[in-house]
Amino acid sequence: MAEDVKEESVASNDESDRAASDGSLSNTMLTEGSCLLRRMEICVAEAEKRSGKNAVSMQETYTVYLVETRPMDAIAEGRNPPPDSLWRRYSEFELLRNYLIVTYPYIVVPPLPEKRSSLPKVQRRFSDFMWQEHGWKEMVYETGFQTKADSRLRALSATFRVRSPHKRLVEMKHYSDGLQSHTSQLLRARTRVADRLYAVYKVHGNYGRVFSEWSAIEKEMGDGLQSAGHHMDAYAASVDDILEEEEHYADQLKEYLSYAEALRAVCRKHELSQFELEMASQDVISKKQQREELATGIVRTFSLKGMTNKLFGQEAPEQREAKLNLLEELIAEGEETVKEKTAECDQHAEKAWADIVRFKDQKDKDLKEAFINYALMQISMCKKGIQVWSNAKECFLKM
């Protein structure tokens, strides 16, 4: 399974206050200053298969995961309190992740690992998902996040071009492309090495078979050949454990392969906010131009309205005044929308960049640790190979 993934909080203080005020979070889960939860060590301790009826009353088999939590301050103080725990299905993890993606568009939400018998340990501030056995899904759906998610997905799937993209987030989008490309290349190289390694180890099994069969026809050399054959057989069989350990490190790289997509999603969401801001600004500019043309009677650009005025004359003063008043109201509403969109876009960029910096720091630590451990594993593997041939040498010397 992938290595421990350490994440930061997914909600700021003001969001915690808002959640607490509308009753969506239990007061027992709020600490001093209305911050969401203390930092917790959260891990999936075990998994088990269960059977039950689904929504259409058909029998099905599914996997549930035991989620355990412990407060980090207790661990730091050397205490080992019994963990709080409950069981969750994989679909519930998916629901939680989708909720986080929609609710916190500026956060690099970790990808979910594949369905397996365990999930990676994380440090994250969660809510009722961790402690409330029933009712938390209903609470999530009541937020209406799914409707917002659907509209956002439709917007994100549409083709649009931002005129003034945020420089930092453009750089991060390019970085995520590079991260995905290099990680993919590394995984492909690792697969080729693992395939060749497997072949080399299994060939040693041939050594073992030949030495063992040969020992049957030799008197003086028989014991030495047979012992050498046993060493070779053991060496060949050890490749399965080695490849399983290698897969552990490959999972860590695959995780960051998925993180690249999460990074792009954050950048894409900001592009959508920027696009909405630019469209709102353009709409205000257009309406101001209409106001000026209506007030002066001078049409600066070709339009059907301008052609109509030339053919049939200007509108009555009362009509023009009513349209001017309507335009003034629309312009005021549009300027307020631009103001809100500007604040939203700036806030999104600021929060997104802060979380991206946090992500990059954690990524550097995680991958550094993974690469070091991978190198140590390879060194240990080579030492075992040397030891096998050293043992075989001793067997040959005794013949």
Side-chain angles (χ1 to χ4, degrees):
M1 204 56 223
E3 87 287 6
D4 293 355
V5 182
K6 301 174 180 64
E7 299 296 338
E8 295 297 328
S9 64
V10 296
S12 59
N13 290 357
D14 57 334
E15 290 157 343
S16 302
D17 294 337
R18 185 166 61 254
S21 65
D22 64 17
S24 61
L25 291 177
S26 169
N27 291 333
T28 60
M29 292 184 294
L30 297 175
T31 59
E32 185 178 355
S34 294
C35 281
L36 271 177
L37 305 177
R38 295 169 295 170
R39 289 175 65 89
M40 307 293 294
E41 179 186 81
I42 304 170
C43 68
V44 173
E46 60 180 285
E48 68 178 39
K49 294 283 187 180
R50 291 185 181 177
S51 297
K53 292 186 177 181
N54 57 23
V56 292
S57 299
M58 295 183 64
Q59 196 74 12
E60 66 172 353
T61 301
Y62 55 90
T63 303
V64 290
Y65 304 90
L66 180 62
V67 183
E68 294 186 345
T69 61
R70 287 185 179 86
M72 292 297 291
D73 55 356
I75 298 174
E77 294 169 4
R79 294 183 284 119
N80 189 27
D84 294 319
S85 62
L86 50 74
W87 295 91
R88 291 292 186 205
R89 295 184 62 171
Y90 191 88
S91 59
E92 295 178 297
F93 284 95
E94 290 179 315
L95 174 60
L96 175 64
R97 185 173 187 272
N98 291 336
Y99 171 77
L100 295 175
I101 289 173
V102 174
T103 308
Y104 308 104
Y106 46 84
I107 292 294
V108 183
V109 180
L112 286 178
E114 299 172 356
K115 289 185 179 181
R116 297 190 182 183
S117 59
S118 61
L119 290 172
K121 180 188 295 184
V122 299
Q123 291 179 11
R124 174 174 291 280
R125 295 174 181 177
F126 280 165
S127 57
D128 289 354
F129 180 84
M130 306 284 27
W131 290 279
Q132 189 168 315
E133 183 72 29
H134 303 290
W136 78 273
K137 287 195 290 187
E138 289 75 10
M139 180 196 71
V140 169
Y141 285 125
E142 285 174 2
T143 64
F145 89 98
Q146 194 62 51
T147 302
K148 185 178 179 181
D150 293 341
S151 62
R152 279 281 179 171
L153 286 173
R154 286 194 294 271
L156 287 172
S157 63
T159 301
F160 59 87
R161 183 177 295 276
V162 177
R163 296 178 181 177
S164 303
H166 195 282
K167 183 177 178 181
R168 280 181 167 178
L169 295 184
V170 169
E171 292 174 355
M172 185 50 54
K173 187 162 67 171
H174 292 158
Y175 170 81
S176 67
D177 292 338
L179 177 63
Q180 186 173 47
S181 174
H182 296 315
T183 305
S184 298
Q185 293 177 34
L186 191 59
L187 284 168
R188 286 195 292 269
R190 177 260 162 194
T191 300
R192 291 195 296 270
V193 170
D195 289 342
R196 293 174 184 176
L197 180 69
Y198 182 82
V200 169
Y201 268 70
K202 289 305 180 183
V203 166
H204 281 72
N206 294 336
Y207 281 137
R209 178 180 55 80
V210 171
F211 287 152
S212 296
E213 291 177 354
W214 192 0
S215 68
I217 63 172
E218 297 287 351
K219 292 183 179 179
E220 299 296 329
M221 299 171 55
D223 290 343
L225 288 171
Q226 188 175 44
S227 296
H230 289 162
H231 288 302
M232 295 301 169
D233 288 338
Y235 186 62
S238 67
V239 70
D240 295 328
D241 291 336
I242 291 172
L243 291 182
E244 183 177 349
E245 188 174 358
E246 276 217 350
E247 192 64 29
H248 169 81
Y249 298 110
D251 282 340
Q252 298 177 24
L253 293 177
K254 290 176 184 176
E255 184 174 35
Y256 276 95
L257 190 65
S258 300
Y259 261 122
E261 182 58 39
L263 278 175
R264 279 198 295 272
V266 171
C267 297
R268 183 72 169 166
K269 289 170 190 172
H270 183 268
E271 285 182 349
L272 175 59
S273 296
Q274 181 68 29
F275 179 76
E276 291 173 344
L277 169 60
E278 292 176 358
M279 291 298 98
S281 300
Q282 187 61 41
D283 185 60
V284 171
I285 292 173
S286 176
K287 285 184 170 56
K288 286 183 177 180
Q289 183 176 334
Q290 293 177 37
R291 180 184 62 185
E292 180 183 356
E293 292 174 353
L294 191 60
T296 61
I298 301 174
V299 179
R300 301 183 183 277
T301 58
F302 174 80
S303 66
L304 180 62
K305 181 64 177 176
M307 184 61 68
T308 302
N309 288 341
K310 287 183 179 180
L311 292 174
F312 302 104
Q314 296 286 340
E315 296 173 320
E318 295 81 5
Q319 292 177 313
R320 187 167 66 252
E321 185 66 25
K323 289 186 176 181
L324 281 172
N325 291 336
L326 177 60
L327 279 173
E328 291 291 352
E329 292 178 4
L330 294 176
I331 289 171
E333 292 175 2
E335 288 177 337
E336 184 63 28
T337 299
V338 168
K339 183 178 178 181
E340 293 174 357
K341 290 291 183 182
T342 300
E344 176 187 333
C345 202
D346 291 344
Q347 186 181 52
H348 187 179
E350 180 181 354
K351 290 184 175 181
W353 184 250
D355 196 61
I356 285 170
V357 170
R358 175 206 57 76
F359 160 78
K360 291 185 72 174
D361 289 342
Q362 189 61 54
K363 178 223 39 166
D364 292 346
K365 295 176 184 176
D366 290 345
L367 292 184
K368 177 181 178 181
E369 181 181 358
F371 290 147
I372 290 174
N373 289 335
Y374 184 74
L376 292 174
M377 186 206 75
Q378 295 290 339
I379 292 171
S380 175
M381 179 184 67
C382 292
K383 287 181 177 179
K384 290 178 181 178
I386 292 173
Q387 186 61 51
V388 166
W389 281 104
S390 297
N391 294 338
K393 177 184 175 183
E394 293 297 322
C395 295
F396 298 150
L397 288 174
K398 293 177 181 179
M399 291 191 303

PDB file of all heavy atoms in Angstrom, residues 171-190:
ATOM      1  N   GLU A 171       1.900  28.508 -14.108  1.00  0.00           N
ATOM      2  CA  GLU A 171       3.159  27.792 -13.850  1.00  0.00           C
ATOM      3  C   GLU A 171       2.894  26.453 -13.167  1.00  0.00           C
ATOM      4  O   GLU A 171       3.534  25.438 -13.484  1.00  0.00           O
ATOM      5  CB  GLU A 171       4.073  28.653 -12.974  1.00  0.00           C
ATOM      6  CG  GLU A 171       4.590  29.914 -13.669  1.00  0.00           C
ATOM      7  CD  GLU A 171       5.361  30.803 -12.718  1.00  0.00           C
ATOM      8  OE1 GLU A 171       5.409  30.487 -11.504  1.00  0.00           O
ATOM      9  OE2 GLU A 171       5.912  31.812 -13.173  1.00  0.00           O
ATOM     10  N   MET A 172       1.935  26.441 -12.240  1.00  0.00           N
ATOM     11  CA  MET A 172       1.642  25.206 -11.525  1.00  0.00           C
ATOM     12  C   MET A 172       0.989  24.177 -12.446  1.00  0.00           C
ATOM     13  O   MET A 172       1.238  22.977 -12.320  1.00  0.00           O
ATOM     14  CB  MET A 172       0.729  25.505 -10.325  1.00  0.00           C
ATOM     15  CG  MET A 172       0.452  24.305  -9.439  1.00  0.00           C
ATOM     16  SD  MET A 172       1.953  23.404  -8.951  1.00  0.00           S
ATOM     17  CE  MET A 172       2.937  24.731  -8.237  1.00  0.00           C
ATOM     18  N   LYS A 173       0.173  24.641 -13.389  1.00  0.00           N
ATOM     19  CA  LYS A 173      -0.432  23.711 -14.334  1.00  0.00           C
ATOM     20  C   LYS A 173       0.648  23.062 -15.205  1.00  0.00           C
ATOM     21  O   LYS A 173       0.615  21.855 -15.450  1.00  0.00           O
ATOM     22  CB  LYS A 173      -1.460  24.432 -15.205  1.00  0.00           C
ATOM     23  CG  LYS A 173      -2.246  23.486 -16.104  1.00  0.00           C
ATOM     24  CD  LYS A 173      -3.520  24.117 -16.631  1.00  0.00           C
ATOM     25  CE  LYS A 173      -3.225  25.254 -17.566  1.00  0.00           C
ATOM     26  NZ  LYS A 173      -4.450  25.733 -18.256  1.00  0.00           N
ATOM     27  N   HIS A 174       1.623  23.870 -15.628  1.00  0.00           N
ATOM     28  CA  HIS A 174       2.739  23.317 -16.401  1.00  0.00           C
ATOM     29  C   HIS A 174       3.562  22.357 -15.540  1.00  0.00           C
ATOM     30  O   HIS A 174       4.030  21.314 -16.016  1.00  0.00           O
ATOM     31  CB  HIS A 174       3.618  24.454 -16.925  1.00  0.00           C
ATOM     32  CG  HIS A 174       2.947  25.293 -17.961  1.00  0.00           C
ATOM     33  ND1 HIS A 174       3.339  26.586 -18.263  1.00  0.00           N
ATOM     34  CD2 HIS A 174       1.868  25.041 -18.767  1.00  0.00           C
ATOM     35  CE1 HIS A 174       2.555  27.071 -19.207  1.00  0.00           C
ATOM     36  NE2 HIS A 174       1.648  26.161 -19.520  1.00  0.00           N
ATOM     37  N   TYR A 175       3.718  22.722 -14.261  1.00  0.00           N
ATOM     38  CA  TYR A 175       4.459  21.846 -13.348  1.00  0.00           C
ATOM     39  C   TYR A 175       3.742  20.507 -13.189  1.00  0.00           C
ATOM     40  O   TYR A 175       4.381  19.446 -13.188  1.00  0.00           O
ATOM     41  CB  TYR A 175       4.615  22.520 -11.986  1.00  0.00           C
ATOM     42  CG  TYR A 175       5.141  21.587 -10.922  1.00  0.00           C
ATOM     43  CD1 TYR A 175       6.495  21.310 -10.822  1.00  0.00           C
ATOM     44  CD2 TYR A 175       4.275  20.956 -10.028  1.00  0.00           C
ATOM     45  CE1 TYR A 175       6.987  20.441  -9.863  1.00  0.00           C
ATOM     46  CE2 TYR A 175       4.748  20.088  -9.064  1.00  0.00           C
ATOM     47  CZ  TYR A 175       6.106  19.835  -8.983  1.00  0.00           C
ATOM     48  OH  TYR A 175       6.577  18.962  -8.038  1.00  0.00           O
ATOM     49  N   SER A 176       2.414  20.553 -13.067  1.00  0.00           N
ATOM     50  CA  SER A 176       1.664  19.300 -12.898  1.00  0.00           C
ATOM     51  C   SER A 176       1.795  18.416 -14.128  1.00  0.00           C
ATOM     52  O   SER A 176       1.866  17.183 -14.013  1.00  0.00           O
ATOM     53  CB  SER A 176       0.187  19.602 -12.615  1.00  0.00           C
ATOM     54  OG  SER A 176      -0.441  20.189 -13.735  1.00  0.00           O
ATOM     55  N   ASP A 177       1.846  19.027 -15.314  1.00  0.00           N
ATOM     56  CA  ASP A 177       2.054  18.244 -16.530  1.00  0.00           C
ATOM     57  C   ASP A 177       3.414  17.549 -16.493  1.00  0.00           C
ATOM     58  O   ASP A 177       3.539  16.376 -16.841  1.00  0.00           O
ATOM     59  CB  ASP A 177       1.966  19.142 -17.763  1.00  0.00           C
ATOM     60  CG  ASP A 177       0.560  19.677 -17.999  1.00  0.00           C
ATOM     61  OD1 ASP A 177      -0.394  19.062 -17.494  1.00  0.00           O
ATOM     62  OD2 ASP A 177       0.423  20.713 -18.679  1.00  0.00           O
ATOM     63  N   GLY A 178       4.442  18.304 -16.059  1.00  0.00           N
ATOM     64  CA  GLY A 178       5.773  17.728 -15.963  1.00  0.00           C
ATOM     65  C   GLY A 178       5.852  16.642 -14.915  1.00  0.00           C
ATOM     66  O   GLY A 178       6.489  15.599 -15.124  1.00  0.00           O
ATOM     67  N   LEU A 179       5.187  16.872 -13.774  1.00  0.00           N
ATOM     68  CA  LEU A 179       5.177  15.874 -12.705  1.00  0.00           C
ATOM     69  C   LEU A 179       4.558  14.575 -13.196  1.00  0.00           C
ATOM     70  O   LEU A 179       5.084  13.481 -12.938  1.00  0.00           O
ATOM     71  CB  LEU A 179       4.402  16.415 -11.505  1.00  0.00           C
ATOM     72  CG  LEU A 179       4.218  15.465 -10.315  1.00  0.00           C
ATOM     73  CD1 LEU A 179       5.570  15.097  -9.709  1.00  0.00           C
ATOM     74  CD2 LEU A 179       3.309  16.095  -9.254  1.00  0.00           C
ATOM     75  N   GLN A 180       3.446  14.682 -13.905  1.00  0.00           N
ATOM     76  CA  GLN A 180       2.788  13.485 -14.415  1.00  0.00           C
ATOM     77  C   GLN A 180       3.663  12.779 -15.449  1.00  0.00           C
ATOM     78  O   GLN A 180       3.785  11.551 -15.437  1.00  0.00           O
ATOM     79  CB  GLN A 180       1.448  13.856 -15.039  1.00  0.00           C
ATOM     80  CG  GLN A 180       0.626  12.644 -15.456  1.00  0.00           C
ATOM     81  CD  GLN A 180      -0.759  13.027 -15.922  1.00  0.00           C
ATOM     82  OE1 GLN A 180      -0.931  13.944 -16.723  1.00  0.00           O
ATOM     83  NE2 GLN A 180      -1.770  12.343 -15.420  1.00  0.00           N
ATOM     84  N   SER A 181       4.293  13.550 -16.334  1.00  0.00           N
ATOM     85  CA  SER A 181       5.130  12.957 -17.375  1.00  0.00           C
ATOM     86  C   SER A 181       6.325  12.229 -16.782  1.00  0.00           C
ATOM     87  O   SER A 181       6.596  11.070 -17.121  1.00  0.00           O
ATOM     88  CB  SER A 181       5.609  14.059 -18.333  1.00  0.00           C
ATOM     89  OG  SER A 181       6.522  13.538 -19.273  1.00  0.00           O
ATOM     90  N   HIS A 182       7.033  12.886 -15.852  1.00  0.00           N
ATOM     91  CA  HIS A 182       8.227  12.267 -15.273  1.00  0.00           C
ATOM     92  C   HIS A 182       7.867  11.071 -14.399  1.00  0.00           C
ATOM     93  O   HIS A 182       8.581  10.055 -14.400  1.00  0.00           O
ATOM     94  CB  HIS A 182       9.006  13.301 -14.460  1.00  0.00           C
ATOM     95  CG  HIS A 182       9.548  14.430 -15.289  1.00  0.00           C
ATOM     96  ND1 HIS A 182      10.184  14.229 -16.491  1.00  0.00           N
ATOM     97  CD2 HIS A 182       9.552  15.772 -15.085  1.00  0.00           C
ATOM     98  CE1 HIS A 182      10.551  15.386 -16.997  1.00  0.00           C
ATOM     99  NE2 HIS A 182      10.176  16.335 -16.164  1.00  0.00           N
ATOM    100  N   THR A 183       6.758  11.185 -13.669  1.00  0.00           N
ATOM    101  CA  THR A 183       6.335  10.060 -12.830  1.00  0.00           C
ATOM    102  C   THR A 183       5.954   8.863 -13.695  1.00  0.00           C
ATOM    103  O   THR A 183       6.292   7.719 -13.359  1.00  0.00           O
ATOM    104  CB  THR A 183       5.144  10.474 -11.950  1.00  0.00           C
ATOM    105  OG1 THR A 183       5.478  11.642 -11.200  1.00  0.00           O
ATOM    106  CG2 THR A 183       4.790   9.371 -10.967  1.00  0.00           C
ATOM    107  N   SER A 184       5.273   9.115 -14.800  1.00  0.00           N
ATOM    108  CA  SER A 184       4.902   8.031 -15.707  1.00  0.00           C
ATOM    109  C   SER A 184       6.142   7.347 -16.272  1.00  0.00           C
ATOM    110  O   SER A 184       6.206   6.107 -16.349  1.00  0.00           O
ATOM    111  CB  SER A 184       4.039   8.573 -16.854  1.00  0.00           C
ATOM    112  OG  SER A 184       2.830   9.115 -16.370  1.00  0.00           O
ATOM    113  N   GLN A 185       7.129   8.150 -16.680  1.00  0.00           N
ATOM    114  CA  GLN A 185       8.360   7.579 -17.214  1.00  0.00           C
ATOM    115  C   GLN A 185       9.085   6.740 -16.162  1.00  0.00           C
ATOM    116  O   GLN A 185       9.610   5.660 -16.460  1.00  0.00           O
ATOM    117  CB  GLN A 185       9.280   8.697 -17.708  1.00  0.00           C
ATOM    118  CG  GLN A 185       8.745   9.450 -18.913  1.00  0.00           C
ATOM    119  CD  GLN A 185       9.641  10.601 -19.321  1.00  0.00           C
ATOM    120  OE1 GLN A 185      10.858  10.533 -19.194  1.00  0.00           O
ATOM    121  NE2 GLN A 185       9.043  11.668 -19.800  1.00  0.00           N
ATOM    122  N   LEU A 186       9.095   7.246 -14.927  1.00  0.00           N
ATOM    123  CA  LEU A 186       9.760   6.513 -13.852  1.00  0.00           C
ATOM    124  C   LEU A 186       9.062   5.185 -13.583  1.00  0.00           C
ATOM    125  O   LEU A 186       9.711   4.154 -13.360  1.00  0.00           O
ATOM    126  CB  LEU A 186       9.784   7.378 -12.590  1.00  0.00           C
ATOM    127  CG  LEU A 186      10.655   6.890 -11.437  1.00  0.00           C
ATOM    128  CD1 LEU A 186      12.100   6.754 -11.880  1.00  0.00           C
ATOM    129  CD2 LEU A 186      10.553   7.853 -10.257  1.00  0.00           C
ATOM    130  N   LEU A 187       7.740   5.197 -13.603  1.00  0.00           N
ATOM    131  CA  LEU A 187       6.984   3.967 -13.376  1.00  0.00           C
ATOM    132  C   LEU A 187       7.215   2.959 -14.495  1.00  0.00           C
ATOM    133  O   LEU A 187       7.318   1.753 -14.249  1.00  0.00           O
ATOM    134  CB  LEU A 187       5.492   4.287 -13.254  1.00  0.00           C
ATOM    135  CG  LEU A 187       5.050   4.906 -11.917  1.00  0.00           C
ATOM    136  CD1 LEU A 187       3.635   5.453 -12.024  1.00  0.00           C
ATOM    137  CD2 LEU A 187       5.140   3.881 -10.797  1.00  0.00           C
ATOM    138  N   ARG A 188       7.303   3.454 -15.725  1.00  0.00           N
ATOM    139  CA  ARG A 188       7.581   2.538 -16.838  1.00  0.00           C
ATOM    140  C   ARG A 188       8.970   1.928 -16.716  1.00  0.00           C
ATOM    141  O   ARG A 188       9.163   0.728 -16.976  1.00  0.00           O
ATOM    142  CB  ARG A 188       7.430   3.276 -18.168  1.00  0.00           C
ATOM    143  CG  ARG A 188       5.980   3.558 -18.563  1.00  0.00           C
ATOM    144  CD  ARG A 188       5.866   3.951 -20.011  1.00  0.00           C
ATOM    145  NE  ARG A 188       6.483   5.245 -20.268  1.00  0.00           N
ATOM    146  CZ  ARG A 188       5.843   6.401 -20.206  1.00  0.00           C
ATOM    147  NH1 ARG A 188       4.553   6.436 -19.886  1.00  0.00           N
ATOM    148  NH2 ARG A 188       6.469   7.530 -20.468  1.00  0.00           N
ATOM    149  N   ALA A 189       9.949   2.761 -16.329  1.00  0.00           N
ATOM    150  CA  ALA A 189      11.310   2.247 -16.140  1.00  0.00           C
ATOM    151  C   ALA A 189      11.341   1.219 -15.022  1.00  0.00           C
ATOM    152  O   ALA A 189      11.991   0.166 -15.136  1.00  0.00           O
ATOM    153  CB  ALA A 189      12.268   3.397 -15.828  1.00  0.00           C
ATOM    154  N   ARG A 190      10.619   1.514 -13.937  1.00  0.00           N
ATOM    155  CA  ARG A 190      10.570   0.587 -12.808  1.00  0.00           C
ATOM    156  C   ARG A 190       9.947  -0.738 -13.223  1.00  0.00           C
ATOM    157  O   ARG A 190      10.409  -1.817 -12.810  1.00  0.00           O
ATOM    158  CB  ARG A 190       9.780   1.231 -11.668  1.00  0.00           C
ATOM    159  CG  ARG A 190       9.601   0.325 -10.454  1.00  0.00           C
ATOM    160  CD  ARG A 190       8.239  -0.304 -10.443  1.00  0.00           C
ATOM    161  NE  ARG A 190       8.203  -1.454  -9.554  1.00  0.00           N
ATOM    162  CZ  ARG A 190       7.243  -2.341  -9.535  1.00  0.00           C
ATOM    163  NH1 ARG A 190       6.235  -2.244 -10.375  1.00  0.00           N
ATOM    164  NH2 ARG A 190       7.277  -3.357  -8.705  1.00  0.00           N
TER     165      ARG A 190
END
